[in-house]
Amino acid sequence: MKTLVMIAAAALSIGSAVMADPVKVGIAAEPYPPFASPDASGNWVGWEVDIINAVCKAAEMDCVVTPVAWEGIIPSLNGGQIDAIMASMSITEERMKVIDFSDKYYNTPTVVVAAKGSGITPTPEGLAGKTIGVQVSTIHEAYAKAHFPDAVLKTYQTTDEGFQDLAAGRIDASQADSIAIDAFMASDAGKACCEIAGAVADDPAILGAGVGVGLRKGDTELKEKFNAGIKKILEDGTYDAISKNYFASSIYGG
Amino acid sequence: MIAFLRPVHRQIMLAVALAAVAASAFLLDWGWLPRYLPLIAQGVWTTLWLTVVTMSLGMVLAIGLGFAQAAGPMWLAWPARVYCTIIRGTPLLLQLWLLYFGLGAFFPQFPELRQSFLWPILREAWPYAVLALTLSAAGYEGEVMRGAFRGVPHGQIEAARAMGMPRFTLFRRIWLPQALHRALPTIAGETVLQMKSTPLVATITVLDIYSVARRVTQDTFIVYEPLVLLAIVYIIIAGLIVLFFRKLEARLPARMA
Amino acid sequence: MGSLLALVGSPSAAELLAWSPPGWGATLVAGLWNSILIALGAYALGLAIGIGGAFGKVYGGPVLRDLLEAYTTLVRAVPELVLILILYFALTDAVNKIIALWDYGPIQLSGVAAGIGVLGVVQGAYSTEVIRGAILSVPHGQIEAARAMGIPPVLLARRITLPLMLAAAIPGLANLWLIVTKDTALLAVVGFVELTKATSLAAATTKAFFTFYAAAGVLYLILSLGSTVIFHRIERWARRGQRPLSGGGR
């Protein structure tokens, strides 16, 4: 019976890595340029992917970048399909109830982008009666629900789909991370349709204290490894070297 | 119902099932339910009307598609055949995304659209859901209706023609009712399948019950209980559909020519 | 071909779909290959469950029959998407709990295995009904005659029941194959990279939505049309030596 179980266990691991040794770092399976997006060969590239590789190298871990659907990424972590989340996930109190976080590795403001000439301001009054798009299961969704109750909220599987609908004119505004919005505004569609309306009023409880590595509760060993890795790349200049390839200035934030 | 439960093993199984339901009601975490009840009601309503509306519209189209293939001239039958083949050969999710995101990608090139009277419809997500589901239903039911139209004994059609019945009356009084009667059991199954396709509209921001359940999971991080509720809702709806068609079949004569 | 593709809204569509980067053609076909692999695995698992379930329903005792009826009814009433989500999370938990009984550490269920497991369970319910119908359609007179002539049960099953049942089951099984190839698209919602997910990734990255979704549609059509042709051949082979279908068929 034992052999049967072993054979079954081996068969079930088809395609997955060797049991337990490499650390499966989950990223969102939806493109989120410039942090993580697939290239034409299907490989994931971007600032965040480079940081993952750098942190793992610094912490001497063998990491495997594993794309997981964003809306199921926390259950996947708790269920054991992945060991860590590095998918631009902000450290918030709500999330800290179910998972742990490492130290932050970047922090950028939250910005609203709107159709050109619409005169929308990132305030409850400015967005009253307008349709705003956010990605599901993000701090932006939570923020919009709490702070813009008079706006019509549309949730998308990915930030990109929200931007598509903004360009198509189906929604009036979109709230997302400033870097993601910069990437959209740099594209032809973004330049043609929209303008940045400004940053939202800060709410640390909802918007969180920066982006960290998501870990299972009680997984202190991995947490220390990731913290050590992040500290090392910040100190030895790898972080800045990688950021230079993508951004004009450091996004580590205050 | 009583006859169904007469065998002892069925009574035992029913007792076990009820115990499981009671256990899950007490052991699982249902604390989120009261807070989300209005949203759940809205989601269930959306699922119901999507199923009914798209199935009805799809059937209307399907009758046309099926008849064109069964009795129509080549230039009608062939496009109908191609349409049904394409719809049945590609996944509904792909068709849905093609309509919503594909058409959406064209909109920025035509800014005049935003001023037109169509814009309130083109802006929303549910028209695309209704369109995709209706076209899908039409494709699948068209195939069913084709078989049903063919299955009506040709002798009846010939006799009606010999008696000089006008073509439309023939279709309305003889061909169509008998074809529908033949297809009814299959249509019941297809309606359940249509209901099972409705969750896909959640990916284009339509708020059906599946969308609500996923939102509960994302807000509260509770994974299983919303999915269990979801399964129960769908089982109940499927049961209602089957019951409805069974009642319908009971009202029709059992024997067909 | 390039000008035809230009009509679908992107003059560079031919470049986008090219085989080597920056074309996404290879990624799409890799996604198609993943879809086919999962479909094959799920179909095989579904057939295995279906054969067992069908024999259980036809020849089994009342308890077994009712349990199987509950299984098929439940699976056919709940949308595949919901089942995929439930089983995707519950299957790993359950497997790990079972493995823990023998003191093994938790294993990671790969996406492929989870997809095959889920779709296989769903296919099993439908296969049970198809095969059961096929078994029941074997003319009982033939089985009685074989028994009367003293043919042993295994030989009977192999030479008489199976060939006759196969011919009746193939249209239903062909339909199930088409269903499973399209159901693999649902795995896109859990992030697994099969053809539909690969298409949405390509479309989202390049913004050429129409091009990629249309291309994926063509790939799926090739798969389903090709499968239909193959199944027609198989059905002709299975029906060899039997009387043609009454009524003339199509």
Side-chain angles (χ1 to χ4, degrees):
Chain A
M1 190 59 193
K2 252 189 167 183
T3 1
L4 207 65
V5 170
M6 253 194 78
I7 295 174
L12 285 169
S13 319
I14 294 173
S16 68
V18 174
M19 279 180 12
D21 261 0
V23 175
K24 287 187 154 183
V25 177
I27 61 170
E30 293 83 20
Y32 191 54
F35 293 108
S37 61
D39 68 8
S41 328
N43 300 321
W44 288 83
V45 296
W47 180 88
E48 203 155 25
V49 180
D50 290 343
I51 293 285
I52 292 174
N53 291 330
V55 168
C56 287
K57 193 158 158 227
E60 284 160 18
M61 291 188 290
D62 182 16
C63 294
V64 175
V65 170
T66 312
V68 176
W70 168 253
E71 58 157 9
I73 205 167
I74 289 185
S76 289
L77 177 71
N78 286 331
Q81 274 109 337
I82 50 176
D83 303 308
I85 298 176
M86 280 182 83
S88 294
M89 182 171 276
S90 299
I91 307 169
T92 65
E93 280 169 31
E94 272 299 316
R95 287 179 181 146
M96 299 232 16
K97 289 183 195 161
V98 280
I99 60 174
D100 247 344
F101 281 97
S102 73
D103 298 331
K104 71 163 181 180
Y105 57 92
Y106 80 86
N107 191 4
T108 45
T110 301
V111 162
V112 169
V113 61
K116 258 193 202 148
S118 60
I120 288 179
T121 55
T123 58
E125 306 78 40
L127 282 164
K130 306 278 184 206
T131 314
I132 183 167
V134 292
Q135 187 184 10
V136 290
S137 206
T138 55
I139 52 171
H140 310 294
E141 188 189 8
Y143 188 93
K145 272 194 202 154
H147 288 257
F148 305 137
D150 297 322
V152 177
L153 192 63
K154 271 198 151 191
T155 53
Y156 295 90
Q157 305 286 308
T158 74
T159 314
D160 240 359
E161 284 170 15
F163 291 152
Q164 288 310 304
D165 266 6
L166 183 61
R170 285 196 183 117
I171 55 177
D172 302 308
S174 192
Q175 179 189 333
D177 182 79
S178 62
I179 305 273
I181 289 186
D182 282 344
F184 172 61
M185 292 305 294
S187 72
D188 293 330
K191 281 194 263 228
C193 78
C194 312
E195 58 189 9
I196 296 184
V200 300
D202 197 17
D203 182 348
I206 297 182
L207 291 180
V211 167
V213 180
L215 299 155
R216 282 185 283 270
K217 270 204 169 308
D219 200 351
T220 40
E221 191 194 326
L222 258 186
K223 187 172 169 182
E224 267 150 37
K225 284 199 181 144
F226 272 106
N227 282 344
I230 293 173
K231 194 156 171 233
K232 185 145 176 243
I233 64 167
L234 281 168
E235 282 169 359
D236 69 9
T238 322
Y239 186 95
D240 291 324
I242 293 175
S243 303
K244 260 204 199 45
N245 289 337
Y246 295 92
F247 309 118
S249 53
S250 169
I251 59 169
Y252 186 70
Chain B
M1 184 74 179
I2 309 294
F4 178 77
L5 285 176
R6 188 155 290 152
V8 179
H9 74 272
R10 286 218 178 120
Q11 294 168 20
I12 299 179
M13 283 171 67
L14 186 64
V16 168
L18 286 175
V21 168
S24 58
F26 284 114
L27 293 175
L28 296 179
D29 183 0
W30 297 104
W32 49 271
L33 204 54
R35 235 184 315 151
Y36 286 94
L37 222 44
L39 213 54
I40 291 175
Q42 195 185 336
V44 172
W45 171 242
T46 307
T47 300
L48 280 173
W49 76 252
L50 270 178
T51 308
V52 171
V53 167
T54 57
M55 197 60 186
S56 316
L57 290 176
M59 275 305 293
V60 169
L61 288 175
I63 289 174
L65 287 168
F67 194 64
Q69 289 181 65
M74 171 84 145
W75 53 272
L76 275 179
W78 198 77
R81 181 129 198 86
V82 168
Y83 174 80
C84 287
T85 308
I86 293 182
I87 294 286
R88 292 166 67 229
T90 51
L92 176 58
L93 194 59
L94 199 70
Q95 297 162 11
L96 194 62
W97 287 356
L98 180 67
L99 275 176
Y100 188 72
F101 294 116
L103 285 183
F106 281 133
F107 288 160
Q109 299 173 21
F110 300 107
E112 317 84 52
L113 263 181
R114 304 193 195 181
Q115 269 63 31
S116 76
F117 68 96
L118 282 174
W119 187 241
I121 298 183
L122 292 175
R123 235 187 106 106
E124 295 290 319
W126 63 262
Y128 299 88
V130 171
L131 184 63
L133 287 174
T134 303
L135 291 179
S136 171
Y140 284 94
E141 304 340 321
E143 191 62 19
V144 171
M145 289 313 293
R146 176 180 74 91
F149 279 120
R150 281 265 188 97
V152 174
H154 204 66
Q156 300 211 11
I157 318 291
E158 286 176 354
R161 282 204 191 122
M163 307 217 358
M165 193 182 266
R167 277 187 309 183
F168 187 66
T169 314
L170 190 159
F171 177 75
R172 190 172 60 88
R173 298 285 300 270
I174 301 190
W175 217 330
L176 182 61
Q178 296 216 31
L180 283 175
H181 190 184
R182 263 167 204 281
L184 209 55
T186 315
I187 300 291
E190 293 289 319
T191 310
V192 174
L193 288 178
Q194 183 76 351
M195 174 209 76
K196 296 209 299 177
S197 340
T198 55
L200 298 179
V201 305
T203 55
I204 61 169
T205 79
V206 175
L207 201 74
D208 72 324
I209 183 68
Y210 171 82
S211 197
V212 171
R214 296 307 287 153
R215 192 179 279 202
V216 172
T217 300
Q218 283 142 26
D219 285 349
T220 62
F221 299 113
I222 299 175
V223 176
Y224 292 119
E225 286 78 350
L227 290 177
V228 169
L229 177 70
L230 202 55
I232 293 175
V233 166
Y234 281 116
I235 291 174
I236 293 178
I237 298 181
L240 288 174
I241 293 175
V242 168
L243 221 67
F244 168 74
F245 276 96
R246 213 173 271 182
K247 287 264 154 69
L248 197 58
E249 278 180 54
R251 299 183 57 178
L252 295 172
R255 234 183 292 160
M256 291 185 278
Chain C
M1 188 63 182
S3 52
L4 185 66
L5 288 171
L7 279 174
V8 293
S10 172
S12 56
E15 290 150 32
L16 284 170
L17 291 172
W19 189 259
S20 47
W24 292 75
T27 316
L28 287 188
V29 173
L32 177 66
W33 181 239
N34 268 351
S35 294
I36 294 180
L37 275 182
I38 295 191
L40 280 173
Y43 192 63
L45 180 60
L47 271 183
I49 297 179
I51 292 177
F55 273 95
K57 268 197 170 179
V58 175
Y59 299 117
V63 178
L64 185 61
R65 274 207 299 266
D66 279 349
L67 283 174
L68 286 170
E69 185 71 29
Y71 161 61
T72 53
T73 311
L74 279 177
V75 168
R76 286 159 66 190
V78 180
E80 285 84 2
L81 198 54
V82 178
L83 286 174
I84 286 176
L85 281 182
I86 295 179
L87 289 174
Y88 184 69
F89 296 121
L91 205 61
T92 328
D93 272 358
V95 167
N96 282 331
K97 286 207 175 78
I98 295 177
I99 304 283
L101 288 177
W102 277 277
D103 287 329
Y104 287 113
I107 59 157
Q108 324 274 41
L109 210 62
S110 69
V112 177
I116 291 181
V118 168
L119 290 180
V121 166
V122 172
Q123 281 281 301
Y126 286 102
S127 297
T128 304
E129 290 305 307
V130 168
I131 297 178
R132 176 173 151 266
I135 293 178
L136 291 176
S137 79
V138 173
H140 201 66
Q142 304 225 9
I143 301 185
E144 284 176 353
R147 285 201 188 126
M149 299 193 40
I151 295 183
V154 175
L155 195 64
L156 191 158
R158 193 165 62 85
R159 293 293 297 270
I160 296 178
T161 314
L162 204 62
L164 290 172
M165 176 211 97
L166 210 59
I170 286 187
L173 292 180
N175 217 28
L176 287 184
W177 168 251
L178 293 176
I179 290 177
V180 80
T181 52
K182 284 178 291 183
D183 274 354
T184 55
L186 298 176
L187 293 174
V189 180
V190 294
F192 184 74
V193 183
E194 41 66 62
L195 180 55
T196 305
K197 183 68 182 177
T199 310
S200 91
L201 284 177
T205 309
T206 62
K207 312 294 180 227
F209 288 92
F210 210 81
T211 312
F212 281 106
Y213 284 129
V218 169
L219 284 176
Y220 275 114
L221 262 181
I222 294 176
L223 179 61
S224 65
L225 288 176
S227 307
T228 310
V229 167
I230 294 178
F231 269 100
H232 271 169
R233 288 273 168 86
I234 296 180
E235 185 172 4
R236 265 220 309 264
W237 169 83
R239 276 201 188 282
R240 68 196 187 294
Q242 294 178 28
R243 248 179 271 148
L245 284 168
S246 57
R250 301 167 65 106

